[in-house]
Every structure is written in C-alpha cells, then in structure tokens.
Amino acid sequence: MGDKPTLHEVAATAGVSLASASRALTGRSASPDMVRRVRQAAKSIGYLPDATARQLRLGGRRQVVFAVDDIGNPNYVQMLRAIEAELGDTIRLSVSATGRGPDQTVDLVRSLSMGAGDGLIISPLRVSPALRQALSETVVPVVVIGNLHSDLGIDSVFVDSSAAIGMIIDHLVSLGRTRIGAIHGPGNTNPGAARRAGFVAAMQRHGLAVSEHAQITARDFTSTAGIDAGTELLARRRQAGVELDAIVAVNDLIGIGAIHAAHRLGLRVPTDLAITGIDDTELAAIYLPGLTTVSLQSADRGRLAARMLLSRFSDPTRSAQHATVEATLVVRGSTSLEMS
C-alpha cells in the first residue's frame, strides 16, 4: 500500500466495487450498510478524499473537466469555446490533455471518482477496453463527444465522419477528379479508422480504383505530419508515372500541410491538384487557397455536450441521451478554380 491510500484500496478493503465505494463516500445511491462498511474501510487505511478541499478552493462551484488528446488542435478549441459559453460563470471549466494514450485518459477518469472534478466532457481519439470500463464505473456525470462503439449508458454527441468523407469524394467526382489519393490518420484512432473506411466505401461507390500506392498514413493529425505525408505521397505517385488530381486529407491541419507540400513541388492548387480537409477550422477559411472541407459542427457538438452535462446535474437518474449532428460540405479555393 502506498503512502497515500487510494479509493481502489478502500474498495478492496470493503469488498465492494470502485463505483460502490465512491457512491458510499459521497452519500449518493448507497445503502446505510454500504456507507458504513466503506467509511469504516476508509478510516482503517487512512483514506481522505480530496473533493472537500477542492470545493472550498473553488468557492463551492462545480468543476467540469474537458479532456482531449491535443489541446492545440483548432477543432478542440472551437468545442472548448462553446462548452465554456454554455456552462456559464457558475461552473469552473478546466482542460486536460490526454495525448499520451488511453492509459492517461483512464487515469483521468478514475481520478474524478476521487474528487478531481464534478463532471467530464471527453472527446477521445483512442478508446481502449480499459477506458470503456473506467467510463462505465465513474460516478460523476460524463458526456462523450464521439463514438465509443459500445452502449455504456453514457450521454454522447456523434457526427458521422465516415459520411463526411463521402461528401468530399462526391464533390471531387462532380468536378471531374478521378485520380484521388488520401492522407489517412493513424489507424488506431477513431477518426483515422472511420475516415479511412469512408474513403474506401465512397471510392468504390463511384467505381474508382482504390490503390494502396495512392494512400498514405500520417504519423499524427498535425500540419507538419501533413507536409511530410503529402510530400511522400506525391513523390511516390510521380515515380510510378501516375499523377494524382486530388488528395483527400483526414483533417484540416493535414490538408493545409498537403497544400504546402504541393506548392513546394511546383504544383498549383487547385489547377493541378485539388486538396480537401475535414473539420472546417478557422485556419481552413483564412489559408490561401481556402481549404475545401466538411464542417463537423465542432461548436454545436461542444454546446450540446455541455447542455447534456447540465441536464445530468439536474437529473442524475435520467436515461442516457444520444445526439447526432449533421456534417456539411464547405467549398473553397483548394478545389474550386472560381474561388481560388
């Protein structure tokens, strides 16, 4: 046992689950016998929850945590602004970066049951079985922005990014672009896997060839990774004697990086090569040429998630809510000669 006893040790000592121990210590949905057993166990090992001290520091206000993998991604910044505006001044909002992997996210979720916060809005890139379990066990309200691929009885806001790729392919085909390549995201992430599947399905729907030589996986979702992946993809296709006339990027940052790579190789966008992204970030609108993209309504998703959390605070026992937001195509100069 460590120097500072944990809630896991309290639960083990009392012979109950982690969720039961947390409920008993906070006095929520626990029988008198359960409360007695857990509190005796906590006293016997010297466990002291942190929630009381935290609430005193915050002047009695609730604290909500917004957890994302990359706090520098403008997509998450849009969500953050909307969440902050919806929660208002009576709730304190903190941001947690969990980009080192699912284990870090699991640790964050478990810490909430021990007083680190009163609610969680989370948009995970990677979802492991351990994270699903932690989310199902935590006693604080949780809203997931994304798809857990599992019914955990947790509030969620979802947008079909696979269908968003289909919108992009439809748009490119309508312009006569048929030699379409792709820069995918890491396959062990939710958006990476979903958008890769959407690309293949849309290409097959239009009867277009899906060549492995016309696809590449970026190491992450940044513009620097987009430059590197775009450069390699375009060089690879030139060596094979086949020129691409369009590249579908997994997000806006990758798309902007691909435009940069095309310019360095002497290609004109969109005359020689159309390039697209996904997210409709502010950068997509101000970059030259402006990036054609699909809006995944980041602000709306953040706003809906915050409303769900507030609703859960008011009615902790209500059934889980699931909202779906519709994506929309935004055409700019990276595909349209008229707008470039």
Side-chain angles (χ1 to χ4, degrees):
M1 189 176 298
D3 293 339
K4 185 178 180 181
T6 68
L7 186 59
H8 290 273
E9 293 164 355
V10 173
T13 302
V16 301
S17 69
L18 178 64
S20 294
S22 182
R23 285 196 297 268
L25 288 174
T26 57
R28 291 180 292 177
S29 303
S31 68
D33 179 65
M34 177 73 72
V35 172
R36 179 184 56 79
R37 287 170 55 197
V38 171
R39 290 184 177 176
Q40 284 182 347
K43 184 176 181 179
S44 70
I45 66 173
Y47 173 80
L48 293 175
D50 297 323
T52 301
R54 177 183 55 74
Q55 289 173 0
L56 288 173
R57 290 196 302 271
L58 299 178
R61 290 186 297 168
R62 282 193 173 106
Q63 174 160 296
V64 168
V65 178
F66 178 47
V68 296
D69 283 57
D70 180 7
I71 59 175
N73 189 308
N75 176 49
Y76 297 134
V77 174
Q78 291 181 46
M79 286 184 190
L80 175 62
R81 289 172 179 167
I83 292 168
E84 185 178 36
E86 196 67 30
L87 293 179
D89 296 332
T90 61
I91 294 178
R92 178 170 176 172
L93 180 64
S94 63
V95 182
S96 178
T98 56
R100 290 199 296 272
D103 289 345
Q104 185 181 6
T105 312
V106 170
D107 290 342
L108 169 66
V109 173
R110 287 176 174 164
S111 74
L112 296 174
S113 294
M114 294 177 274
D118 303 294
L120 172 67
I121 298 174
I122 182 171
S123 183
L125 282 181
R126 299 168 178 84
V127 179
S128 65
L131 178 56
R132 290 190 183 93
Q133 181 177 354
L135 288 170
S136 68
E137 291 178 348
T138 187
V139 297
V140 304
V142 175
V143 181
V144 174
I145 301 177
N147 186 10
L148 287 179
H149 306 291
S150 177
D151 183 11
L152 300 177
I154 295 174
D155 296 328
S156 65
V157 182
F158 174 70
V159 63
D160 190 347
S161 62
S162 176
I165 291 285
M167 294 179 184
I168 288 288
I169 299 296
D170 292 347
H171 169 65
L172 291 172
V173 171
S174 74
L175 299 174
R177 310 276 181 165
T178 57
R179 301 187 305 277
I180 304 173
I183 303 178
H184 300 299
N188 64 343
T189 65
N190 286 349
R195 296 173 196 183
R196 181 189 297 266
F199 174 78
V200 173
M203 292 285 283
Q204 292 175 341
R205 175 163 51 83
H206 284 284
L208 300 176
V210 181
S211 169
E212 287 301 318
H213 296 293
Q215 303 175 69
I216 193 169
T217 300
R219 63 180 177 273
D220 55 39
F221 293 94
T222 64
S223 57
T224 301
I227 293 172
D228 294 342
T231 301
E232 182 178 344
L233 178 62
L234 291 169
R236 177 197 300 172
R237 294 302 289 169
R238 282 187 166 181
Q239 290 168 2
V242 180
E243 295 285 359
L244 296 174
D245 61 14
I247 291 178
V248 175
V250 69
N251 73 349
D252 286 353
L253 293 179
I254 296 288
I256 289 170
I259 292 176
H260 188 82
H263 286 164
R264 287 201 315 192
L265 293 172
L267 295 171
R268 297 167 297 170
V269 178
T271 304
D272 301 321
L273 182 70
I275 297 178
T276 67
I278 286 185
D279 283 334
D280 192 28
T281 59
E282 292 179 356
L283 287 175
I286 66 175
Y287 198 78
L288 293 176
L291 182 68
T292 291
T293 184
V294 174
S295 173
L296 299 183
Q297 314 297 343
S298 296
D300 285 348
R301 285 186 287 154
R303 192 174 300 111
L304 284 169
R307 289 175 183 173
M308 285 183 179
L309 193 66
L310 292 173
S311 171
R312 179 65 65 182
F313 284 149
S314 299
D315 184 6
T317 61
R318 67 161 171 77
S319 300
Q321 297 177 349
H322 306 288
T324 299
V325 175
E326 297 296 327
T328 57
L329 179 68
V330 182
V331 178
R332 297 193 178 100
S334 68
T335 61
S336 173
L337 288 169
E338 295 178 357
M339 303 179 69
S340 61

